[in-house]
Amino acid sequence: MNLTPTLNNRIESLDMLRGFALLGIFIANMLTFHSPYFYLEPHSWFSTPGDAETFKIINIFVEASFYPIFAMMFGYGMNLQYEKAQAAGKPYAPVMAKRLGILLLFGLLHALFIWSGDILFTYALMGFIMIAAVRIPKRWLVPIAAVVYLIPAIILIGGLYVLNKLSPDQVMNDYVDIQQIELAITAYGHGTYWEAFAFRAVEWATFGLTSVFLAPFMILPLIMFGAYLSKVKLFERAAELKGRIAVVTVIALVGGIVIKSIPYIDKPTVHYDMLQKLIGGPMLAIGYGGIILLLCQAPLFRTIFRPVSKAGRMSLTTYLTQSIIATLLFNSYGFGLYGKVDLATGTWMAVGIFVIQVIFAELWLMKFRMGPFEWIWRKGTYGKNLPKKEGNVQAL
């Protein structure tokens, strides 16, 4: 068996993919950091030629195509921890439940005090379900995940298609909330921190808590698929399986790009938006994952892009600091750039901030074993007796 390269028993390609996913997630999230994206119809809102073209690129190649990678890697890491506990004869559920409880708290604090688009809270809740689901035999994980994911997705897309045919204008009017757009601009663009906090809390209650009820059908299956990939040792056997990985990568890339391009081939509609996010997004995510996995087989690629894996190794710190930096840049209690930058500028700001994060991660890990938020997480889990060696634990 040809094992993928590791550093200190960590799977380097797993950290590399997680790092690239964080860049894509940040570019997509940047839309909500500098504009009232939750409440607008982007195809008409971003109407200038530059914004329209930039949004098209983000919409097709970035949006909804990187968080599935992160969800799958979350499942991959959970199964790694499960197998490690099994091999050592140690209990899995109590330790993992504690880790997830702390992650849940991170997510809640992040959502309320920093940014309402938090995903950690949802991941933690789905993780509690995965404590049981990770024990499902690998031959059943993919069929169960596919049924749980695809049936609700098809029903939702089909229902929106029917509604759009019956009353297209009404559906689009319901999609745009002018009042909330104005309130968001007032709170984030002109309000004090506590005015922004009040609006953020309502926003998270509206979107964040609602997403919790959808997560078993949208996020949990992706985490289960990641656990399956861990059980078949995809990253560890990447060199051995590179032919199959290449085939799947090409199919997923082509299929994902075609599906996500449909609104630009026909015209934007709500059901096409859901088709992009629920079907095209995960397909393209698999394609991106395959590209990184194949490239990681080349020593030159690993050498040049190794710093990206450091940001992935500190994924919790990287994710949270992205929100902290962005909200300070755009909200009125910081630099007040909310609604004042175009899409291209916002996108390049995300790239620039990520580059700084990569440099920071490289320097930090020269001195410390893990990122600052990772240290808090593990300290809360294990107390005074932190494990001396990190092993192959890569849960997030």
Side-chain angles (χ1 to χ4, degrees):
M1 180 185 295
N2 296 316
L3 298 180
T4 194
T6 62
L7 290 175
N8 299 324
N9 294 322
R10 289 183 67 91
I11 303 171
E12 187 180 23
S13 54
L14 191 60
D15 284 332
M16 187 81 73
L17 180 56
R18 193 179 280 119
F20 276 107
L22 284 164
L23 172 59
I25 288 169
F26 194 25
I27 291 173
N29 287 347
M30 188 60 81
L31 295 170
T32 64
F33 284 128
H34 66 65
S35 69
Y37 190 68
F38 286 136
Y39 312 104
L40 53 83
E41 198 290 298
H43 296 280
S44 59
W45 181 272
F46 301 118
S47 56
T48 63
D51 277 356
E53 189 60 31
T54 303
F55 178 72
K56 179 180 178 180
I57 293 171
I58 295 173
N59 190 229
I60 294 175
F61 296 102
V62 180
E63 198 172 17
S65 294
F66 283 89
Y67 82 81
I69 297 176
F70 215 66
M72 291 180 221
M73 296 305 93
F74 188 71
Y76 206 106
M78 285 197 69
N79 184 70
L80 284 177
Q81 291 206 19
Y82 171 68
E83 292 183 351
K84 182 182 178 183
Q86 290 289 99
K90 296 181 178 179
Y92 170 73
V95 175
M96 181 53 65
K98 196 170 184 180
R99 282 179 61 85
L100 292 171
I102 296 170
L103 186 64
L104 191 79
L105 180 59
F106 268 125
L108 183 61
L109 295 174
H110 178 225
L112 293 178
F113 291 96
I114 302 172
W115 180 56
S116 61
D118 169 78
I119 193 63
L120 300 178
F121 186 87
T122 303
Y123 277 20
L125 288 178
M126 295 306 99
F128 282 110
I129 300 175
M130 277 302 299
I131 290 176
V134 76
R135 305 169 194 273
I136 298 173
K138 62 185 177 183
R139 67 179 180 275
W140 291 109
L141 269 175
V142 174
I144 292 172
V147 169
V148 171
Y149 188 89
L150 289 175
I151 291 178
I154 291 170
I155 292 173
L156 177 59
I157 294 167
L160 289 172
Y161 173 79
V162 172
L163 288 174
N164 187 69
K165 287 296 183 182
L166 294 174
S167 182
D169 293 336
Q170 184 62 42
V171 172
M172 292 309 294
N173 288 337
D174 290 342
Y175 192 41
V176 179
D177 193 331
I178 298 298
Q179 183 180 6
Q180 287 299 113
I181 290 173
E182 294 175 349
L183 290 173
I185 293 172
T186 300
Y188 295 136
H190 305 287
T192 65
Y193 175 83
W194 292 111
E195 288 171 336
F197 171 85
F199 185 81
R200 186 186 305 115
V202 174
E203 196 170 59
W204 181 70
T206 302
F207 294 102
L209 291 181
T210 301
S211 70
V212 168
F213 295 101
L214 298 176
F217 310 104
M218 295 177 60
I219 302 296
L220 180 61
L222 298 174
I223 298 175
M224 292 174 67
F225 184 64
Y228 165 79
L229 297 179
S230 176
K231 289 179 183 295
V232 299
K233 307 297 181 214
L234 179 68
F235 281 76
E236 296 90 331
R237 300 172 58 204
E240 173 190 341
L241 301 172
K242 61 184 178 182
R244 298 180 190 179
I245 293 171
V247 172
V248 172
T249 298
V250 172
I251 293 172
L253 283 173
V254 173
I257 291 172
V258 168
I259 291 173
K260 295 193 74 181
S261 299
I262 288 176
Y264 303 95
I265 298 171
D266 189 357
K267 64 178 182 179
T269 62
V270 178
H271 60 275
Y272 282 158
D273 182 60
M274 285 298 105
L275 183 66
Q276 280 184 310
K277 287 181 170 61
L278 298 181
I279 306 299
M283 283 188 68
L284 195 52
I286 292 171
Y288 287 155
I291 290 175
I292 297 300
L293 199 48
L294 292 171
L295 287 174
C296 280
Q297 306 313 305
L300 180 61
F301 176 84
R302 294 198 306 272
T303 300
I304 294 174
F305 290 97
R306 183 158 288 149
V308 175
S309 72
K310 303 296 179 63
R313 181 173 168 182
M314 291 171 48
S315 57
L316 181 60
T317 295
T318 303
Y319 174 73
L320 291 175
T321 53
Q322 285 175 352
S323 297
I324 294 169
I325 293 169
T327 51
L328 286 175
L329 282 173
F330 294 108
N331 287 7
S332 57
Y333 53 80
F335 288 89
L337 297 178
Y338 193 83
K340 298 178 182 178
V341 301
D342 58 26
L343 277 188
T345 301
T347 300
W348 284 113
M349 288 174 72
V351 173
I353 292 167
F354 182 75
V355 170
I356 294 171
Q357 288 185 302
V358 167
I359 296 170
F360 172 78
E362 180 74 26
L363 295 174
W364 181 274
L365 291 174
M366 286 181 180
K367 186 173 179 61
F368 303 102
R369 282 197 308 123
M370 62 190 75
F373 284 108
E374 284 77 9
W375 183 87
I376 295 171
W377 192 12
R378 289 175 68 80
K379 183 72 172 178
T381 302
Y382 298 103
K384 295 181 179 180
N385 300 316
L386 284 175
K388 294 181 179 180
K389 293 185 179 180
E390 194 167 6
N392 64 348
V393 176
Q394 296 178 299
L396 183 64

